[in-house]
Amino acid sequence: MYVRTLAFGIVGVFILLLINTEADLENVHPLRNGKFFPFFGVGLVRFENGLCGGNSTLEGTCYTRRQCALADGVGTVRCASGIGICCIIQRTCGETSSLNNTYFVSPGFPTAYTNTSICTFTISRCNSDICQVRIDFLSFNLAQPNDNGSCVTDALIITGGASNVPVLCGENSGQHIYVDFNDANNIILTISTSTSSIASRAWNIKIAQIACNCPNRAPSGCTQYYTELSATVNSFNYGSAGSQLGTRQLVNENYGVCVAMLAGYCGIQWSQSGGAYSFTVTNNTYTNVGTGTIGTDAAAILGSNCTTDFVVIPAPIYINDTLVNTDRFCGNGFPTLISYSKPFVLTVVTNTNEINDTGNRGFSLTYTQIPCSGAALLG
C-alpha cells in the first residue's frame, strides 16, 4: 500500500511539473528578454531561441507557441525536441521589427505589387549587443533604371545605418548587403514604387541581426561579404540588357566586396564567370564587345581610361606572374588576375551617368582563394 501511494505521488508531481513548465514557457515574451538568443525554460526543460528550418525556403526562430503568437508569427514545424515551434516572422510596409531573422515582404507577396507607394520598414536592434544586420534579397524585383542608370521609377533606399549602401532597383534576387547600426539604433528600408505597373514587382527580404562579437560579422566598410572558398560575385542588377536602350548598371556606386581569407590560403584569383558579356562596365557594349576588347588586352581595357566606371583589385598580377601597372579595370572585358594583397577586397565604382554605356549589364566575376603552398610570391 505504501509503495503504491509513493508511486502515485511521484507520477502526480511529475505531471504537475510538466503542466507548470509548459505554462511558464508559454508566458515568456520574446521581446522582453535582453539576450540575442536567450534560453527559456523551468526545471528540466530548457531550449535556445536559435534558427530552425521552417520550410523549404524560409528559416524561422524556435519559440514557444505563445511567443510565436505574441510576435505575430506563423508556426510551422516543431523544434527543441518537440517543445518549441519554428516561428516564421514576416512584416510588410509601415511595420517595425526588433526580432532576429525577420522577413520584409511586399504586400500580398508573392503576388506582383502594382501600387504606387512609399513603403517603409524599420529594423530595431534586438539589444545593445547587436552591431550589424545582414540583408538577403531572397526575391527582389523592381523596375529597371532609366537609360542613365538612375532608379527613377522604383528604388530601395537604406537610411539610418552607418554603412554607405547604394540606391538599388531592378533585379537583385540572390544578392546581399551588410549594414552597421549607428547611434540611432534603427535602420530604415524605404521602397518607392511609381505609377508604372510592373508585372514582376515583388520582394522578400531576410534580415538577420549580428552580434558585435559574432565571427560572421562583416568588417567595417564591406557592403558585401563572402566567406566561401570560391563564389561568384555579381554587380547589383546584373543581367542581360535585352531590348533596353540604356544600361542595367546603376549609377553612383562606391562599395566594397570583401572576402574572408580562409586558413591556409594566401591569395585570391578573379576571373570572368559568364562569357563575353559578363564584364561590361564602360563603353557601348553593342559596338565594342567582340571587337578585340575582350580578354587580357591590357592596352584596351586598363589604365587611364578607367576614370568613370571601374573595379579596383589591389596589387594585381596576371596568372603568368607578370605585374599589372594599374589596380583599376573597366571596359568590356576582364583579364584573369591574382592578388596577394590582404584583406581580400574588390571595390566597385560608378559615376553619376551611364549615357554612353549602352547595353551594359555590369559584371559577373568568380573568385577562388589560392593555397599558401601555391603562392608564387611567397616562395
Side-chain angles (χ1 to χ4, degrees):
M1 181 70 175
Y2 174 77
V3 174
R4 282 194 208 165
T5 303
L6 178 61
F8 178 79
I10 293 174
V11 171
V13 171
F14 180 70
I15 293 173
L16 182 61
L17 175 61
L18 288 180
I19 293 173
N20 289 336
T21 298
E22 175 70 10
D24 289 335
L25 282 170
E26 294 291 349
N27 282 285
V28 179
H29 196 294
L31 300 181
R32 295 175 185 163
N33 195 286
K35 299 296 183 181
F36 184 40
F37 280 142
F39 285 92
F40 292 103
V42 177
L44 299 176
V45 182
R46 293 167 61 87
F47 70 90
E48 185 182 16
N49 288 141
L51 296 181
C52 51
N55 55 40
S56 59
T57 58
L58 301 180
E59 291 183 323
T61 302
C62 193
Y63 287 144
T64 66
R65 291 189 300 272
R66 182 171 177 80
Q67 286 177 314
C68 188
L70 289 172
D72 195 23
V74 176
T76 55
V77 299
R78 302 297 295 185
C79 57
S81 299
I83 300 170
I85 191 79
C86 194
C87 188
I88 306 297
I89 308 296
Q90 289 186 323
R91 299 289 185 265
T92 190
C93 301
E95 297 185 321
T96 299
S97 179
S98 61
L99 297 174
N100 185 41
N101 206 37
T102 297
Y103 294 86
F104 169 39
V105 298
S106 53
F109 182 85
T111 303
Y113 182 64
T114 58
N115 290 1
T116 300
S117 70
I118 301 295
C119 173
T120 61
F121 175 69
T122 301
I123 306 168
S124 297
R125 295 179 198 253
C126 291
N127 56 66
S128 60
D129 294 331
I130 301 299
C131 281
Q132 189 179 73
V133 295
R134 173 176 167 129
I135 300 175
D136 280 279
F137 301 106
L138 304 182
S139 177
F140 186 95
N141 292 284
L142 299 181
Q144 286 292 320
N146 65 5
D147 292 350
N148 187 42
S150 299
C151 297
V152 296
T153 304
D154 294 349
L156 165 63
I157 301 173
I158 299 178
T159 56
S163 306
N164 182 26
V165 180
V167 176
L168 300 179
C169 60
E171 300 175 12
N172 289 287
S173 299
Q175 295 277 21
H176 74 272
I177 57 175
Y178 286 81
V179 184
D180 292 324
F181 278 102
N182 59 18
D183 294 337
N185 291 324
N186 288 329
I187 296 171
I188 301 173
L189 279 62
T190 301
I191 296 180
S192 61
T193 56
S194 76
T195 55
S196 301
S197 177
I198 308 300
S200 61
R201 178 194 287 150
W203 60 87
N204 181 18
I205 302 172
K206 178 185 176 184
I207 295 122
Q209 303 206 18
I210 301 175
C212 300
N213 61 354
C214 179
N216 292 327
R217 179 184 173 188
S220 178
C222 301
T223 298
Q224 295 190 304
Y225 186 48
Y226 292 83
T227 58
E228 301 89 349
L229 179 64
S230 180
T232 296
V233 177
N234 293 337
S235 57
F236 293 116
N237 195 38
Y238 172 79
S240 174
S243 59
Q244 185 173 333
L245 296 177
T247 178
R248 287 181 64 109
Q249 186 164 265
L250 305 178
V251 298
N252 293 322
E253 296 189 325
N254 189 339
Y255 66 92
V257 179
C258 303
V259 178
M261 186 176 65
L262 301 182
Y265 291 84
C266 295
I268 187 168
Q269 176 176 295
W270 293 91
S271 59
Q272 281 187 232
S273 62
Y277 293 88
S278 61
F279 190 91
T280 56
V281 300
T282 44
N283 301 321
N284 186 338
T285 298
Y286 293 136
T287 60
N288 285 349
V289 168
T291 61
T293 60
I294 301 173
T296 57
D297 183 357
I301 64 174
L302 307 178
S304 61
N305 291 329
C306 298
T307 59
T308 57
D309 306 326
F310 52 88
V311 300
V312 177
I313 296 177
I317 62 173
Y318 293 117
I319 56 176
N320 62 2
D321 292 340
T322 303
L323 295 177
V324 182
N325 294 323
T326 182
D327 59 2
R328 294 187 178 191
F329 303 86
C330 64
N332 294 323
F334 183 86
T336 299
L337 300 169
I338 295 174
S339 175
Y340 295 103
S341 177
K342 302 168 183 65
F344 298 155
V345 62
L346 171 79
T347 303
V348 183
V349 178
T350 62
N351 67 351
T352 58
N353 77 81
E354 300 292 304
I355 290 295
N356 297 317
D357 297 329
T358 306
N360 286 351
R361 62 183 67 184
F363 65 81
S364 180
L365 298 176
T366 295
Y367 76 80
T368 301
Q369 299 196 39
I370 300 174
C372 294
S373 60
L377 296 186
L378 298 180

